[in-house]
Amino acid sequence: MAEYDAAKASGEGAAILRREGLYHSHILEWRAARDAGALTALGSRKSPVSENRRRSAEVAEIERLRRRNERLEADLARTKTALEIMGKAHALLETLSESADDTPRPRRR
């Protein structure tokens, strides 16, 4: 509201409203609330309930991310092991293929 009130030209105020996705009726309601003292009463104290909820939500989010990270690390370890096994199997098959090509085959009569 302070930015809107500070806007000198009418076009500046309209630009602020468009940028913020607001209507002029919002400004009228907020001015009435400000004049009635409702905004200063709301801004003067912090609600401990909302602060506890925010902290609780943050803790829950951290725990969720920690579990996800552990699951992804386990998936990565399995993938690395599988790739290592596939590499070794490929090398073994390649060696077997080369040795099969080098050995002479017995002739049939």
Side-chain angles (χ1 to χ4, degrees):
M1 265 191 43
E3 184 182 4
Y4 182 82
D5 289 339
K8 303 270 183 197
S10 62
E12 290 178 39
I16 293 169
L17 292 176
R18 279 192 303 275
R19 181 186 73 215
E20 301 298 331
L22 299 173
Y23 295 101
H24 184 69
S25 60
H26 292 126
I27 299 295
L28 296 176
E29 290 175 25
W30 294 338
R31 279 185 181 150
R34 180 190 62 196
D35 294 343
L39 294 180
T40 56
L42 288 175
S44 65
R45 62 186 170 104
K46 289 186 178 181
S47 170
V49 174
S50 65
E51 188 71 23
N52 288 339
R53 284 184 189 154
R54 186 177 60 81
R55 285 187 186 151
S56 174
E58 289 172 354
V59 169
E61 178 71 5
I62 289 170
E63 185 57 34
R64 185 187 69 79
L65 292 172
R66 185 173 289 130
R67 285 191 311 267
R68 182 175 183 227
N69 189 28
E70 289 172 0
R71 187 178 66 247
L72 291 173
E73 285 178 355
D75 288 347
L76 178 62
R78 278 193 299 273
T79 301
K80 283 182 177 180
T81 303
L83 285 172
E84 187 179 324
I85 291 170
M86 292 294 292
K88 289 179 180 179
H90 179 353
L92 175 64
L93 289 173
E94 198 171 83
T95 303
L96 290 174
S97 176
E98 289 172 359
S99 66
D101 290 342
D102 294 343
T103 58
R105 295 184 184 174
R107 294 185 182 180
R108 290 189 180 178
R109 291 188 177 185

